Every structure is written in structure tokens, then in C-alpha cells.
Amino acid sequence: MPTKKKPQVTPSPERRRELLATAAEVFAAQGYNATTVRKIADAAGMLAGSLYYHFDSKESMIDEILSTFLTELWDGYDAVLAAGLGPRETIEALVTESFREIDRHRAAVAIYQKESKHLATQPRFQYLVDSQQKFEKAWLGTLERGVADKTFRADLDIRLTYRFVRDTVWVAASWYRPGGQHSPEEIARQYLSMVLDGIALDT
């Protein structure tokens, strides 16, 4: 009698997300080059061969981690940019959305900061370059609009301000922990208060 084939079981989306979350933590802690499929499998409590049942390579894993993060980031950013807000309100909304993304994808943000320059040299990761250019255009355009309509100071160095805001927001991924004392919205509020209004009282 012919042997019966075992039915193939499709990996559940939930399990896939769990494995990607584990992989993201390993990539963030050890770096892409130092991370092996075996290390990810060990962290997930499974055999390396079993991990290949879900993903064909560590490159595929980091690709999905970064593309998922950037897709969600741009869903939020595009909604802000399409809302017709004034320059200050746009900056406030973009900063708030950024902290929300750090809350949702802290490890992915850390990976992006450490690895995107290297990964972007590969055709598969061209979207990292495209996203960075779009990101810069959105922020610089908002700051320029604010200077033009006198919302922001006329002597503002637009590019320097952009770099300061960008770096001080996203570096939060190195210390932020979801479920901590402050919500991402509260951190954004405190940050915006310091950046837009300063920390010294008028004397």
C-alpha cells in the first residue's frame, strides 16, 4: 500500500511574529554579522533546522523586521503629513508618532540605527535608502515651512535642527522599555516641551 503523506502544517502568523520578535532582540543585542540562525533558534528554544521551516535565512528575518517597522512608521507619518496641520503641530505629531513606534518596535529601531547603512548597500534593502530620503524630506520641509511662516526662528539652521531632533528622538530606543513608568505619549510631551519651549525660565 502506498504510504500516506503527512499533511503540511502552515506556520501560524502568531508564531511567526513571536520568532521575529526574538530574532529582533538578538540582532539588536549582538549585531547582524555576529548573529547566526543557531543563535536565534537557541533564543527561541528550538533547533536551527526548525527555524528554517519558518524563514529561509537570517537575511529574510531582518528584512521582514525592518520592512514591518518602516511600513507602520510611514502609515503614521503619512497620516500626520496629510492632516493639514501647522508646522509646530506637525512636528509635535511626528515626534509623538516616533515615540509610539519606539514603543512598538524598540528592537527594530535599534537594528535600523546600527545596520541600515551597511544593509542599504544591498539591492534587497534599497527601501532603506528610499525611506531615509523620504524621512529627511518630510522633516526638513516641515521645519522650512515653520521658518517661512514665522512659527520657528528665522535664524534656525534647518539641517542642524533636523539632525538634532532626529538623533535625540531615535536614540531613545537604547533606553526605552515598553511598560515603563512613562507612556510614549508622555515622553513625547516632555521631549517636545524641552525642544520647543526650552528648560530655563525667563528671568
Side-chain angles (χ1 to χ4, degrees):
M1 292 180 63
T3 56
K4 291 183 179 180
K5 290 184 178 179
K6 291 183 179 180
Q8 285 192 331
V9 179
T10 302
S12 71
E14 292 78 13
R15 181 55 174 158
R16 188 180 183 86
R17 283 193 291 269
E18 289 172 3
L19 293 174
L20 283 172
T22 299
E25 294 295 339
V26 178
F27 283 130
Q30 301 190 19
Y32 178 69
N33 288 334
T35 297
T36 63
V37 171
R38 181 177 293 279
K39 286 182 179 179
I40 296 171
D42 288 345
M46 63 195 302
L47 297 174
S50 299
L51 191 59
Y52 281 114
Y53 180 60
H54 300 268
F55 304 97
D56 61 13
S57 65
K58 71 172 187 175
E59 184 182 63
S60 292
M61 284 183 269
I62 202 169
D63 185 3
E64 190 163 339
I65 290 164
L66 291 175
S67 62
T68 298
F69 154 59
L70 289 174
T71 295
E72 289 194 15
L73 175 70
W74 280 108
D75 284 347
Y77 270 25
D78 286 340
V80 169
L81 296 170
L85 302 173
R88 177 174 177 134
E89 291 75 20
T90 299
I91 291 293
E92 290 173 343
L94 290 175
V95 166
T96 301
E97 192 60 40
S98 298
F99 280 109
R100 286 173 179 156
E101 285 305 310
I102 292 171
D103 181 64
R104 297 184 192 112
H105 297 287
R106 183 197 57 78
V109 172
I111 294 167
Y112 181 86
Q113 290 177 316
K114 294 176 185 176
E115 309 291 351
S116 60
K117 187 174 182 180
H118 165 69
L119 291 171
T121 61
Q122 304 176 40
R124 179 173 188 166
F125 294 95
Q126 175 62 38
Y127 65 85
L128 296 176
V129 178
D130 299 338
S131 180
Q132 177 57 38
Q133 292 172 347
K134 185 180 177 183
F135 185 91
E136 185 172 308
K137 182 179 178 181
W139 283 84
L140 289 176
T142 302
L143 290 168
E144 288 168 353
R145 187 159 56 94
V147 170
D149 73 1
K150 297 183 171 54
T151 298
F152 304 137
R153 295 187 345 233
D155 65 337
L156 208 62
D157 185 313
I158 298 296
R159 189 160 290 275
L160 183 61
T161 303
Y162 157 69
R163 288 172 176 165
F164 171 78
V165 172
R166 176 196 65 190
D167 293 349
T168 52
V169 167
W170 293 108
V171 76
S174 66
W175 54 261
Y176 179 81
R177 292 296 178 271
Q181 182 179 357
H182 300 294
S183 69
E185 291 79 11
E186 173 61 16
I187 294 173
R189 189 187 69 77
Q190 290 282 346
Y191 174 85
L192 287 162
S193 175
M194 289 184 282
V195 170
L196 296 176
D197 301 320
I199 62 172
L201 293 172
D202 292 333
T203 56

PDB file of all heavy atoms in Angstrom, residues 30-60:
ATOM      1  N   GLN A  30      23.346  41.724  19.470  1.00  0.00           N
ATOM      2  CA  GLN A  30      24.611  41.163  19.002  1.00  0.00           C
ATOM      3  C   GLN A  30      25.074  41.701  17.661  1.00  0.00           C
ATOM      4  O   GLN A  30      26.237  41.491  17.285  1.00  0.00           O
ATOM      5  CB  GLN A  30      24.496  39.633  18.931  1.00  0.00           C
ATOM      6  CG  GLN A  30      24.148  39.000  20.264  1.00  0.00           C
ATOM      7  CD  GLN A  30      24.269  37.486  20.253  1.00  0.00           C
ATOM      8  OE1 GLN A  30      24.919  36.899  19.402  1.00  0.00           O
ATOM      9  NE2 GLN A  30      23.617  36.840  21.213  1.00  0.00           N
ATOM     10  N   GLY A  31      24.198  42.372  16.924  1.00  0.00           N
ATOM     11  CA  GLY A  31      24.554  42.857  15.601  1.00  0.00           C
ATOM     12  C   GLY A  31      24.267  41.814  14.537  1.00  0.00           C
ATOM     13  O   GLY A  31      24.268  40.606  14.810  1.00  0.00           O
ATOM     14  N   TYR A  32      24.029  42.284  13.328  1.00  0.00           N
ATOM     15  CA  TYR A  32      23.630  41.387  12.245  1.00  0.00           C
ATOM     16  C   TYR A  32      24.721  40.378  11.905  1.00  0.00           C
ATOM     17  O   TYR A  32      24.465  39.173  11.797  1.00  0.00           O
ATOM     18  CB  TYR A  32      23.272  42.213  11.005  1.00  0.00           C
ATOM     19  CG  TYR A  32      22.901  41.370   9.807  1.00  0.00           C
ATOM     20  CD1 TYR A  32      21.719  40.635   9.794  1.00  0.00           C
ATOM     21  CD2 TYR A  32      23.728  41.306   8.685  1.00  0.00           C
ATOM     22  CE1 TYR A  32      21.358  39.859   8.696  1.00  0.00           C
ATOM     23  CE2 TYR A  32      23.377  40.539   7.587  1.00  0.00           C
ATOM     24  CZ  TYR A  32      22.198  39.821   7.599  1.00  0.00           C
ATOM     25  OH  TYR A  32      21.854  39.053   6.516  1.00  0.00           O
ATOM     26  N   ASN A  33      25.952  40.848  11.742  1.00  0.00           N
ATOM     27  CA  ASN A  33      27.030  39.948  11.319  1.00  0.00           C
ATOM     28  C   ASN A  33      27.332  38.875  12.358  1.00  0.00           C
ATOM     29  O   ASN A  33      27.658  37.735  12.012  1.00  0.00           O
ATOM     30  CB  ASN A  33      28.295  40.742  10.999  1.00  0.00           C
ATOM     31  CG  ASN A  33      28.183  41.531   9.709  1.00  0.00           C
ATOM     32  OD1 ASN A  33      27.421  41.162   8.808  1.00  0.00           O
ATOM     33  ND2 ASN A  33      28.910  42.631   9.606  1.00  0.00           N
ATOM     34  N   ALA A  34      27.239  39.231  13.628  1.00  0.00           N
ATOM     35  CA  ALA A  34      27.562  38.273  14.697  1.00  0.00           C
ATOM     36  C   ALA A  34      26.418  37.319  14.999  1.00  0.00           C
ATOM     37  O   ALA A  34      26.607  36.318  15.692  1.00  0.00           O
ATOM     38  CB  ALA A  34      27.951  39.025  15.965  1.00  0.00           C
ATOM     39  N   THR A  35      25.246  37.620  14.489  1.00  0.00           N
ATOM     40  CA  THR A  35      24.084  36.777  14.755  1.00  0.00           C
ATOM     41  C   THR A  35      23.995  35.647  13.741  1.00  0.00           C
ATOM     42  O   THR A  35      24.102  35.864  12.545  1.00  0.00           O
ATOM     43  CB  THR A  35      22.785  37.612  14.699  1.00  0.00           C
ATOM     44  OG1 THR A  35      22.828  38.599  15.730  1.00  0.00           O
ATOM     45  CG2 THR A  35      21.566  36.730  14.910  1.00  0.00           C
ATOM     46  N   THR A  36      23.813  34.438  14.229  1.00  0.00           N
ATOM     47  CA  THR A  36      23.618  33.275  13.366  1.00  0.00           C
ATOM     48  C   THR A  36      22.200  32.744  13.547  1.00  0.00           C
ATOM     49  O   THR A  36      21.520  33.059  14.541  1.00  0.00           O
ATOM     50  CB  THR A  36      24.611  32.155  13.716  1.00  0.00           C
ATOM     51  OG1 THR A  36      24.357  31.720  15.062  1.00  0.00           O
ATOM     52  CG2 THR A  36      26.053  32.631  13.592  1.00  0.00           C
ATOM     53  N   VAL A  37      21.772  31.941  12.599  1.00  0.00           N
ATOM     54  CA  VAL A  37      20.459  31.307  12.720  1.00  0.00           C
ATOM     55  C   VAL A  37      20.416  30.447  13.978  1.00  0.00           C
ATOM     56  O   VAL A  37      19.399  30.398  14.676  1.00  0.00           O
ATOM     57  CB  VAL A  37      20.150  30.475  11.464  1.00  0.00           C
ATOM     58  CG1 VAL A  37      18.886  29.627  11.668  1.00  0.00           C
ATOM     59  CG2 VAL A  37      19.975  31.378  10.244  1.00  0.00           C
ATOM     60  N   ARG A  38      21.527  29.813  14.296  1.00  0.00           N
ATOM     61  CA  ARG A  38      21.565  28.978  15.505  1.00  0.00           C
ATOM     62  C   ARG A  38      21.344  29.818  16.762  1.00  0.00           C
ATOM     63  O   ARG A  38      20.630  29.389  17.682  1.00  0.00           O
ATOM     64  CB  ARG A  38      22.915  28.237  15.598  1.00  0.00           C
ATOM     65  CG  ARG A  38      23.016  27.336  16.830  1.00  0.00           C
ATOM     66  CD  ARG A  38      24.331  26.570  16.834  1.00  0.00           C
ATOM     67  NE  ARG A  38      24.375  25.618  15.743  1.00  0.00           N
ATOM     68  CZ  ARG A  38      23.799  24.419  15.766  1.00  0.00           C
ATOM     69  NH1 ARG A  38      23.100  24.045  16.830  1.00  0.00           N
ATOM     70  NH2 ARG A  38      23.896  23.620  14.747  1.00  0.00           N
ATOM     71  N   LYS A  39      21.941  31.007  16.826  1.00  0.00           N
ATOM     72  CA  LYS A  39      21.745  31.858  17.998  1.00  0.00           C
ATOM     73  C   LYS A  39      20.284  32.278  18.140  1.00  0.00           C
ATOM     74  O   LYS A  39      19.743  32.337  19.251  1.00  0.00           O
ATOM     75  CB  LYS A  39      22.640  33.095  17.897  1.00  0.00           C
ATOM     76  CG  LYS A  39      24.118  32.813  18.151  1.00  0.00           C
ATOM     77  CD  LYS A  39      24.942  34.090  18.072  1.00  0.00           C
ATOM     78  CE  LYS A  39      26.412  33.807  18.343  1.00  0.00           C
ATOM     79  NZ  LYS A  39      27.242  35.045  18.246  1.00  0.00           N
ATOM     80  N   ILE A  40      19.663  32.589  17.017  1.00  0.00           N
ATOM     81  CA  ILE A  40      18.243  32.954  17.066  1.00  0.00           C
ATOM     82  C   ILE A  40      17.408  31.759  17.514  1.00  0.00           C
ATOM     83  O   ILE A  40      16.502  31.880  18.341  1.00  0.00           O
ATOM     84  CB  ILE A  40      17.774  33.467  15.694  1.00  0.00           C
ATOM     85  CG1 ILE A  40      18.522  34.758  15.330  1.00  0.00           C
ATOM     86  CG2 ILE A  40      16.261  33.716  15.699  1.00  0.00           C
ATOM     87  CD1 ILE A  40      18.296  35.222  13.898  1.00  0.00           C
ATOM     88  N   ALA A  41      17.715  30.592  16.958  1.00  0.00           N
ATOM     89  CA  ALA A  41      16.985  29.376  17.326  1.00  0.00           C
ATOM     90  C   ALA A  41      17.158  29.066  18.809  1.00  0.00           C
ATOM     91  O   ALA A  41      16.195  28.699  19.496  1.00  0.00           O
ATOM     92  CB  ALA A  41      17.462  28.207  16.472  1.00  0.00           C
ATOM     93  N   ASP A  42      18.388  29.213  19.317  1.00  0.00           N
ATOM     94  CA  ASP A  42      18.637  28.971  20.737  1.00  0.00           C
ATOM     95  C   ASP A  42      17.788  29.912  21.602  1.00  0.00           C
ATOM     96  O   ASP A  42      17.196  29.499  22.611  1.00  0.00           O
ATOM     97  CB  ASP A  42      20.114  29.176  21.071  1.00  0.00           C
ATOM     98  CG  ASP A  42      20.989  28.048  20.524  1.00  0.00           C
ATOM     99  OD1 ASP A  42      20.440  26.989  20.149  1.00  0.00           O
ATOM    100  OD2 ASP A  42      22.223  28.234  20.467  1.00  0.00           O
ATOM    101  N   ALA A  43      17.738  31.193  21.194  1.00  0.00           N
ATOM    102  CA  ALA A  43      16.953  32.171  21.957  1.00  0.00           C
ATOM    103  C   ALA A  43      15.465  31.849  21.908  1.00  0.00           C
ATOM    104  O   ALA A  43      14.720  32.143  22.855  1.00  0.00           O
ATOM    105  CB  ALA A  43      17.203  33.574  21.418  1.00  0.00           C
ATOM    106  N   ALA A  44      15.039  31.234  20.806  1.00  0.00           N
ATOM    107  CA  ALA A  44      13.626  30.867  20.652  1.00  0.00           C
ATOM    108  C   ALA A  44      13.312  29.507  21.240  1.00  0.00           C
ATOM    109  O   ALA A  44      12.141  29.091  21.262  1.00  0.00           O
ATOM    110  CB  ALA A  44      13.253  30.877  19.171  1.00  0.00           C
ATOM    111  N   GLY A  45      14.345  28.786  21.715  1.00  0.00           N
ATOM    112  CA  GLY A  45      14.134  27.474  22.312  1.00  0.00           C
ATOM    113  C   GLY A  45      13.768  26.407  21.302  1.00  0.00           C
ATOM    114  O   GLY A  45      12.914  25.548  21.574  1.00  0.00           O
ATOM    115  N   MET A  46      14.436  26.449  20.138  1.00  0.00           N
ATOM    116  CA  MET A  46      14.131  25.468  19.103  1.00  0.00           C
ATOM    117  C   MET A  46      15.409  25.112  18.361  1.00  0.00           C
ATOM    118  O   MET A  46      16.454  25.753  18.543  1.00  0.00           O
ATOM    119  CB  MET A  46      13.086  26.026  18.123  1.00  0.00           C
ATOM    120  CG  MET A  46      13.562  27.252  17.352  1.00  0.00           C
ATOM    121  SD  MET A  46      12.219  28.169  16.514  1.00  0.00           S
ATOM    122  CE  MET A  46      11.515  26.924  15.458  1.00  0.00           C
ATOM    123  N   LEU A  47      15.375  24.077  17.545  1.00  0.00           N
ATOM    124  CA  LEU A  47      16.507  23.678  16.729  1.00  0.00           C
ATOM    125  C   LEU A  47      16.641  24.608  15.535  1.00  0.00           C
ATOM    126  O   LEU A  47      15.646  25.111  15.008  1.00  0.00           O
ATOM    127  CB  LEU A  47      16.342  22.235  16.243  1.00  0.00           C
ATOM    128  CG  LEU A  47      16.291  21.156  17.327  1.00  0.00           C
ATOM    129  CD1 LEU A  47      15.967  19.803  16.696  1.00  0.00           C
ATOM    130  CD2 LEU A  47      17.610  21.097  18.087  1.00  0.00           C
ATOM    131  N   ALA A  48      17.884  24.827  15.095  1.00  0.00           N
ATOM    132  CA  ALA A  48      18.119  25.713  13.956  1.00  0.00           C
ATOM    133  C   ALA A  48      17.371  25.219  12.719  1.00  0.00           C
ATOM    134  O   ALA A  48      16.809  26.009  11.953  1.00  0.00           O
ATOM    135  CB  ALA A  48      19.610  25.819  13.672  1.00  0.00           C
ATOM    136  N   GLY A  49      17.336  23.902  12.539  1.00  0.00           N
ATOM    137  CA  GLY A  49      16.625  23.353  11.394  1.00  0.00           C
ATOM    138  C   GLY A  49      15.147  23.673  11.416  1.00  0.00           C
ATOM    139  O   GLY A  49      14.519  23.872  10.366  1.00  0.00           O
ATOM    140  N   SER A  50      14.570  23.734  12.604  1.00  0.00           N
ATOM    141  CA  SER A  50      13.151  24.059  12.727  1.00  0.00           C
ATOM    142  C   SER A  50      12.881  25.516  12.369  1.00  0.00           C
ATOM    143  O   SER A  50      11.813  25.858  11.849  1.00  0.00           O
ATOM    144  CB  SER A  50      12.680  23.788  14.152  1.00  0.00           C
ATOM    145  OG  SER A  50      12.829  22.421  14.488  1.00  0.00           O
ATOM    146  N   LEU A  51      13.864  26.384  12.637  1.00  0.00           N
ATOM    147  CA  LEU A  51      13.683  27.798  12.297  1.00  0.00           C
ATOM    148  C   LEU A  51      13.603  27.986  10.782  1.00  0.00           C
ATOM    149  O   LEU A  51      12.871  28.854  10.289  1.00  0.00           O
ATOM    150  CB  LEU A  51      14.828  28.622  12.879  1.00  0.00           C
ATOM    151  CG  LEU A  51      14.675  30.149  12.845  1.00  0.00           C
ATOM    152  CD1 LEU A  51      13.423  30.591  13.600  1.00  0.00           C
ATOM    153  CD2 LEU A  51      15.910  30.816  13.452  1.00  0.00           C
ATOM    154  N   TYR A  52      14.331  27.147  10.049  1.00  0.00           N
ATOM    155  CA  TYR A  52      14.293  27.236   8.584  1.00  0.00           C
ATOM    156  C   TYR A  52      12.919  26.844   8.032  1.00  0.00           C
ATOM    157  O   TYR A  52      12.623  27.117   6.862  1.00  0.00           O
ATOM    158  CB  TYR A  52      15.370  26.348   7.973  1.00  0.00           C
ATOM    159  CG  TYR A  52      16.756  26.956   8.022  1.00  0.00           C
ATOM    160  CD1 TYR A  52      17.763  26.386   8.798  1.00  0.00           C
ATOM    161  CD2 TYR A  52      17.056  28.100   7.287  1.00  0.00           C
ATOM    162  CE1 TYR A  52      19.038  26.942   8.851  1.00  0.00           C
ATOM    163  CE2 TYR A  52      18.323  28.666   7.335  1.00  0.00           C
ATOM    164  CZ  TYR A  52      19.317  28.079   8.115  1.00  0.00           C
ATOM    165  OH  TYR A  52      20.571  28.638   8.154  1.00  0.00           O
ATOM    166  N   TYR A  53      12.117  26.219   8.838  1.00  0.00           N
ATOM    167  CA  TYR A  53      10.755  25.904   8.431  1.00  0.00           C
ATOM    168  C   TYR A  53       9.931  27.182   8.286  1.00  0.00           C
ATOM    169  O   TYR A  53       8.961  27.243   7.524  1.00  0.00           O
ATOM    170  CB  TYR A  53      10.122  24.965   9.472  1.00  0.00           C
ATOM    171  CG  TYR A  53       8.700  24.553   9.184  1.00  0.00           C
ATOM    172  CD1 TYR A  53       8.374  23.869   8.015  1.00  0.00           C
ATOM    173  CD2 TYR A  53       7.684  24.830  10.092  1.00  0.00           C
ATOM    174  CE1 TYR A  53       7.067  23.477   7.759  1.00  0.00           C
ATOM    175  CE2 TYR A  53       6.381  24.440   9.855  1.00  0.00           C
ATOM    176  CZ  TYR A  53       6.084  23.762   8.677  1.00  0.00           C
ATOM    177  OH  TYR A  53       4.792  23.376   8.425  1.00  0.00           O
ATOM    178  N   HIS A  54      10.342  28.232   9.020  1.00  0.00           N
ATOM    179  CA  HIS A  54       9.627  29.500   9.013  1.00  0.00           C
ATOM    180  C   HIS A  54      10.294  30.550   8.129  1.00  0.00           C
ATOM    181  O   HIS A  54       9.616  31.381   7.526  1.00  0.00           O
ATOM    182  CB  HIS A  54       9.533  30.047  10.443  1.00  0.00           C
ATOM    183  CG  HIS A  54       8.805  29.148  11.393  1.00  0.00           C
ATOM    184  ND1 HIS A  54       7.452  29.248  11.634  1.00  0.00           N
ATOM    185  CD2 HIS A  54       9.255  28.129  12.175  1.00  0.00           C
ATOM    186  CE1 HIS A  54       7.085  28.333  12.520  1.00  0.00           C
ATOM    187  NE2 HIS A  54       8.164  27.644  12.866  1.00  0.00           N
ATOM    188  N   PHE A  55      11.637  30.544   8.088  1.00  0.00           N
ATOM    189  CA  PHE A  55      12.387  31.559   7.341  1.00  0.00           C
ATOM    190  C   PHE A  55      13.539  30.885   6.608  1.00  0.00           C
ATOM    191  O   PHE A  55      14.172  29.975   7.143  1.00  0.00           O
ATOM    192  CB  PHE A  55      12.946  32.628   8.292  1.00  0.00           C
ATOM    193  CG  PHE A  55      11.904  33.288   9.147  1.00  0.00           C
ATOM    194  CD1 PHE A  55      11.680  32.843  10.439  1.00  0.00           C
ATOM    195  CD2 PHE A  55      11.139  34.336   8.675  1.00  0.00           C
ATOM    196  CE1 PHE A  55      10.716  33.432  11.242  1.00  0.00           C
ATOM    197  CE2 PHE A  55      10.169  34.929   9.463  1.00  0.00           C
ATOM    198  CZ  PHE A  55       9.958  34.476  10.753  1.00  0.00           C
ATOM    199  N   ASP A  56      13.842  31.376   5.405  1.00  0.00           N
ATOM    200  CA  ASP A  56      14.905  30.716   4.634  1.00  0.00           C
ATOM    201  C   ASP A  56      16.303  31.206   4.988  1.00  0.00           C
ATOM    202  O   ASP A  56      17.292  30.590   4.609  1.00  0.00           O
ATOM    203  CB  ASP A  56      14.658  30.857   3.128  1.00  0.00           C
ATOM    204  CG  ASP A  56      14.634  32.316   2.656  1.00  0.00           C
ATOM    205  OD1 ASP A  56      15.037  33.208   3.423  1.00  0.00           O
ATOM    206  OD2 ASP A  56      14.202  32.549   1.513  1.00  0.00           O
ATOM    207  N   SER A  57      16.414  32.328   5.727  1.00  0.00           N
ATOM    208  CA  SER A  57      17.734  32.864   6.068  1.00  0.00           C
ATOM    209  C   SER A  57      17.588  33.953   7.125  1.00  0.00           C
ATOM    210  O   SER A  57      16.491  34.481   7.352  1.00  0.00           O
ATOM    211  CB  SER A  57      18.408  33.465   4.832  1.00  0.00           C
ATOM    212  OG  SER A  57      17.670  34.595   4.364  1.00  0.00           O
ATOM    213  N   LYS A  58      18.703  34.320   7.738  1.00  0.00           N
ATOM    214  CA  LYS A  58      18.660  35.428   8.687  1.00  0.00           C
ATOM    215  C   LYS A  58      18.428  36.750   7.945  1.00  0.00           C
ATOM    216  O   LYS A  58      17.850  37.693   8.507  1.00  0.00           O
ATOM    217  CB  LYS A  58      19.935  35.489   9.529  1.00  0.00           C
ATOM    218  CG  LYS A  58      21.193  35.935   8.798  1.00  0.00           C
ATOM    219  CD  LYS A  58      22.350  36.145   9.773  1.00  0.00           C
ATOM    220  CE  LYS A  58      23.569  36.759   9.095  1.00  0.00           C
ATOM    221  NZ  LYS A  58      24.647  37.076  10.061  1.00  0.00           N
ATOM    222  N   GLU A  59      18.845  36.809   6.677  1.00  0.00           N
ATOM    223  CA  GLU A  59      18.594  37.993   5.869  1.00  0.00           C
ATOM    224  C   GLU A  59      17.096  38.226   5.699  1.00  0.00           C
ATOM    225  O   GLU A  59      16.608  39.357   5.784  1.00  0.00           O
ATOM    226  CB  GLU A  59      19.259  37.849   4.506  1.00  0.00           C
ATOM    227  CG  GLU A  59      19.128  39.088   3.622  1.00  0.00           C
ATOM    228  CD  GLU A  59      19.765  38.886   2.271  1.00  0.00           C
ATOM    229  OE1 GLU A  59      19.310  38.001   1.514  1.00  0.00           O
ATOM    230  OE2 GLU A  59      20.722  39.622   1.959  1.00  0.00           O
ATOM    231  N   SER A  60      16.354  37.141   5.474  1.00  0.00           N
ATOM    232  CA  SER A  60      14.903  37.260   5.352  1.00  0.00           C
ATOM    233  C   SER A  60      14.278  37.750   6.642  1.00  0.00           C
ATOM    234  O   SER A  60      13.313  38.536   6.636  1.00  0.00           O
ATOM    235  CB  SER A  60      14.295  35.907   4.967  1.00  0.00           C
ATOM    236  OG  SER A  60      14.667  35.528   3.674  1.00  0.00           O
TER     237      SER A  60
END
